[in-house]
């Protein structure tokens, strides 16, 4: 246990994780009064940040006493105290650097005031805002990101499946000929493999696509498959399609850059299995552009979110365009949309919807927080399969990064579970031009 510290929380930390005050061990937490004022602006609305603002205020109300403004409130065994800092002092040091008294600068003023009042205790700003942390450091103040839900190992997103060379040729021959597979011990692989992990095995005379099947606890070969006219064009797409079609897997993550086929494969697999599910739900979070709220757009709610949902309809059209205008597959797709067995909509609109016996695909999941991912998964009912797709290097929300977004967090926490699989797609298959642009621009 190190020396006790004072942590000053920025508003965005609370909007990211409303339970954050319980994650600082024995250290004391200071909430500038301006943070509560900012939270008040977020209380109304249906987005996750609005929910977090309301839940935090309720939590604060339950533990609050008059001591919160003077002596602090105990947060629990092994935890420090929570203070609401109401000081209106604006230190000269802050005023010289930032004369405009906006909320961010008032928060910096609290960090400076605490540092002066408690010179023997480190006072640290905790913020998801990189710019505010830089401002703090420019003044000689301590600042850090909120790292409780940060994932340290993100190397897995830089590569595709493992390739194991020089495997005994006789072992691969047995794997080819056996429907049940072979034991993991027979392969004598140089590294540990997780449940449902896919890999390529190479010998002097043959190559095989394989996976460690958690249900049978055997290594089995992965065959090329087809789903609603869509076939894997490379090994990693073949692995993804195999996992998406596996009824034993209830939670799947498919990651990869633009053009690797993440959403298309997920949708094709869902449509191939349409008889096994009551509904197929394809959704994505809305990230407004240019700091504009959806209210700036014309039309009703459905019309406002239409442009954000267009990439999902584009994937559906790719599948539709494989079939003739009078084909039974096209009629099936149109009937599914009319009957709302196949629904494409904004993620915010699924609140309250029953997710039992539903194939759920959440696109652009890298733009969700860990708490949002948890909220979605914990609503899965009987017979529900959930697929999250996303590019962890293409994050459009200001307070998430490659290590703290919900998709990466879920993959890190769920790896090794027998009903979970993750496939990372590396090779772009949209077009040569798309692949070139993704790699070079």
């Amino acid at each position: 246990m190190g020396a006790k510290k004072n942590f000053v929380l920025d508003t965005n930390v609370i909007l990211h994780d409303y339970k954050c005050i319980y994650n600082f061990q024995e250290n004391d937490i200071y909430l500038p009064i301006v943070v509560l004022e900012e939270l008040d602006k977020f209380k109304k609305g249906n987005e996750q940040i609005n929910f977090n603002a309301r839940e935090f205020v309720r939590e604060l109300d339950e533990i609050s006493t008059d001591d919160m403004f003077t002596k602090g409130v105990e947060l629990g065994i092994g935890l420090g105290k929570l203070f609401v800092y109401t000081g209106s002092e604006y230190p000269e040091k802050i005023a010289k650097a930032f004369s405009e008294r906006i909320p961010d600068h008032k928060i910096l003023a609290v960090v400076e005031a605490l540092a002066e009042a408690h010179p023997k205790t480190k006072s640290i700003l905790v913020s998801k805002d990189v710019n505010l942390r830089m401002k703090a450091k420019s003044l000689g103040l301590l600042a850090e990101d909120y790292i409780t839900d940060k994932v340290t190992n993100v190397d897995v997103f830089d590569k595709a499946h493992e390739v194991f060379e020089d495997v005994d040729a006789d072992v691969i021959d047995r794997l080819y000929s056996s429907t049940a597979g072979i034991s993991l011990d027979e392969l004598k692989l140089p590294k540990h493999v997780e449940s449902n992990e896919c890999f390529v095995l190479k010998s002097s005379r043959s190559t095989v696509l394989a996976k460690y099947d958690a249900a049978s606890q055997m290594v089995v070969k992965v065959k090329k498959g087809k789903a609603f006219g869509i076939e894997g064009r490379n090994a990693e797409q073949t692995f993804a399609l195999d996992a998406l079609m596996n009824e034993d897997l209830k939670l799947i993550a498919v990651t990869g850059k633009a053009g690797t086929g993440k959403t298309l494969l997920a949708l094709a697999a869902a449509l191939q299995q349409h008889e096994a599910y009551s509904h197929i739900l394809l959704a994505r979070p809305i990230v407004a552009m240019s700091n504009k709220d959806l209210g700036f757009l014309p039309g009703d709610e459905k019309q406002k979110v239409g442009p954000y949902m267009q990439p999902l309809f584009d994937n559906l059209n790719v599948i539709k365009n494989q079939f003739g205008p009078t084909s039974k597959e096209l009629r099936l797709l149109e009937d599914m949309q009319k009957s709302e067995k196949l629904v494409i909509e904004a993620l915010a609109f699924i609140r309250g919807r029953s997710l039992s016996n539903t194939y759920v695909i959440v696109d652009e999941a890298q733009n969700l927080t860990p708490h949002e991912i948890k909220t979605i998964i914990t609503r899965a009912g009987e017979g529900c399969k959930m697929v999250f797709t996303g590019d962890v290097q293409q994050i459009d929300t200001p307070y998430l990064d490659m290590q703290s977004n919900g998709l990466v967090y879920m993959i890190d926490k769920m790896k090794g579970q027998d009903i979970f699989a993750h496939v990372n797609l590396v090779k772009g298959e949209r077009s040569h031009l798309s692949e070139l642009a993704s790699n070079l621009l």
Side-chain angles (χ1 to χ4, degrees):
M1 186 181 293
K4 194 170 184 177
K5 305 178 187 71
N6 294 328
F7 287 105
V8 179
L9 301 191
D10 190 2
T11 314
N12 50 58
V13 175
I14 295 165
L15 295 177
H16 179 82
D17 178 6
Y18 71 87
K19 289 280 191 180
C20 62
I21 57 175
Y22 300 106
N23 293 328
F24 289 87
Q25 300 176 326
E26 75 282 0
N27 305 296
D28 290 339
I29 300 169
Y30 286 81
L31 283 181
I33 194 69
V34 68
V35 167
L36 297 184
E37 292 172 1
E38 286 199 293
L39 285 175
D40 198 52
K41 299 173 186 176
F42 287 95
K43 287 194 301 184
K44 293 181 181 179
N46 298 317
E47 298 299 318
Q48 186 65 43
I49 57 173
N50 307 123
F51 170 83
N52 287 353
R54 291 191 293 268
E55 286 299 304
F56 180 78
V57 170
R58 292 189 186 105
E59 191 76 24
L60 201 61
D61 185 50
E62 285 185 12
I63 65 174
S64 66
T65 68
D66 292 341
D67 289 340
M68 182 178 286
F69 304 94
T70 53
K71 301 176 183 177
V73 174
E74 296 283 352
L75 289 171
I77 298 172
L79 301 177
K81 292 181 178 181
L82 174 67
F83 296 81
V84 173
Y85 192 92
T86 58
S88 58
E89 208 175 292
Y90 200 66
E92 185 180 352
K93 181 179 179 180
I94 306 296
K96 281 183 177 180
F98 310 110
S99 57
E100 189 181 5
R101 297 196 180 193
I102 61 174
D104 278 1
H105 300 160
K106 291 179 180 179
I107 292 171
L108 290 178
V110 172
V111 182
E112 171 65 17
L114 283 174
E116 288 183 2
H118 306 281
K120 293 184 179 180
T121 303
K122 286 184 178 180
S123 295
I124 305 169
L125 168 67
V126 182
S127 175
K128 304 288 298 174
D129 186 342
V130 177
N131 288 336
L132 184 57
R133 297 201 303 267
M134 292 302 292
K135 284 182 177 181
K137 290 174 182 178
S138 73
L139 297 170
L141 300 175
L142 299 174
E144 61 184 47
D145 194 359
Y146 179 67
I147 60 173
T148 296
D149 51 16
K150 280 224 173 195
V151 175
T152 55
N153 180 23
V154 291
D155 294 344
V156 65
F157 303 104
D158 295 329
K159 59 185 180 181
H161 47 268
E162 292 283 353
V163 178
F164 296 109
E165 309 269 1
D166 301 322
V167 178
D168 188 294
D170 292 336
V171 173
I172 288 186
D173 288 344
R174 287 204 307 277
L175 183 59
Y176 261 115
S177 59
S178 171
T179 55
I182 61 175
S183 71
L184 187 60
D185 292 338
E186 283 188 72
L187 286 174
K188 298 177 181 176
L189 299 179
K191 69 177 286 292
H192 170 73
V193 296
E194 300 285 356
S195 295
N196 304 308
E197 183 178 346
C198 298
F199 40 86
V200 175
L201 301 174
K202 289 186 174 183
S203 73
S204 56
R205 61 174 183 252
S206 60
T207 299
V208 63
L209 305 184
K211 68 177 180 183
Y212 178 54
D213 185 65
S216 64
Q217 295 188 337
M218 300 285 279
V219 175
V220 296
K221 64 183 176 183
V222 175
K223 299 177 182 177
K224 270 207 164 189
K226 207 169 190 178
F228 226 79
I230 301 297
E231 186 176 17
R233 294 185 177 183
N234 54 48
E236 60 214 47
Q237 284 195 352
T238 300
F239 289 143
L241 204 52
D242 178 78
L244 291 162
M245 294 290 292
N246 188 337
E247 62 182 23
D248 292 327
L249 300 179
K250 303 302 181 185
L251 179 63
I252 296 172
V254 184
T255 55
K257 62 188 177 184
T260 50
K262 307 178 296 293
T263 311
L264 181 63
L265 291 169
L267 179 56
L271 293 172
Q272 183 67 33
Q273 301 170 82
H274 71 274
E275 292 182 351
Y277 297 93
S278 300
H279 295 91
I280 296 171
L281 176 60
L282 184 55
R284 65 178 353 207
I286 293 174
V287 181
M289 300 296 182
S290 302
N291 297 319
K292 298 234 181 243
D293 187 81
L294 285 178
F296 283 80
L297 299 175
D300 58 22
E301 282 188 334
K302 295 288 184 183
Q303 291 171 320
K304 287 177 190 290
V305 303
Y308 296 92
M309 298 300 107
Q310 190 56 48
L312 302 184
F313 285 103
D314 290 344
N315 278 282
L316 181 59
N317 288 334
V318 169
I319 294 175
K320 284 183 175 181
N321 290 338
Q322 300 176 104
F323 308 110
T326 59
S327 66
K328 63 178 182 179
E329 289 89 355
L330 190 58
R331 288 200 303 272
L332 172 64
L333 288 174
E334 290 172 350
D335 289 344
M336 288 174 69
Q337 284 185 275
K338 286 178 184 176
S339 65
E340 295 195 342
K341 178 167 184 176
L342 171 61
V343 178
I344 297 177
E345 64 184 17
L347 190 60
F349 292 168
I350 75 168
R351 292 181 189 277
R353 184 187 292 269
S354 172
L355 296 182
S356 296
N357 202 36
T358 303
Y359 198 115
V360 181
I361 302 169
V362 179
D363 194 31
E364 300 290 344
Q366 78 278 0
N367 288 320
L368 298 172
T369 67
H371 186 77
E372 285 174 311
I373 290 273
K374 179 180 178 180
T375 299
I376 296 165
I377 297 174
T378 52
R379 294 182 62 246
E382 286 297 320
C384 181
K385 187 184 187 93
M386 288 197 163
V387 179
F388 291 85
T389 68
D391 179 358
V392 299
Q393 296 180 338
Q394 189 65 46
I395 297 169
D396 300 315
T397 51
Y399 302 130
L400 296 177
D401 58 32
M402 190 172 176
Q403 292 177 281
S404 65
N405 70 83
L407 181 59
V408 169
Y409 181 78
M410 177 196 76
I411 292 167
D412 184 64
K413 295 297 182 183
M414 286 291 184
K415 65 184 178 185
Q417 299 300 314
D418 59 356
I419 61 169
F420 171 74
H422 168 229
V423 179
N424 191 49
L425 306 181
V426 174
K427 190 175 188 301
E429 294 290 352
R430 185 173 289 167
S431 68
H432 177 59
L433 174 59
S434 173
E435 173 75 351
L436 199 63
S438 182
N439 290 332
L440 299 181
L441 299 182

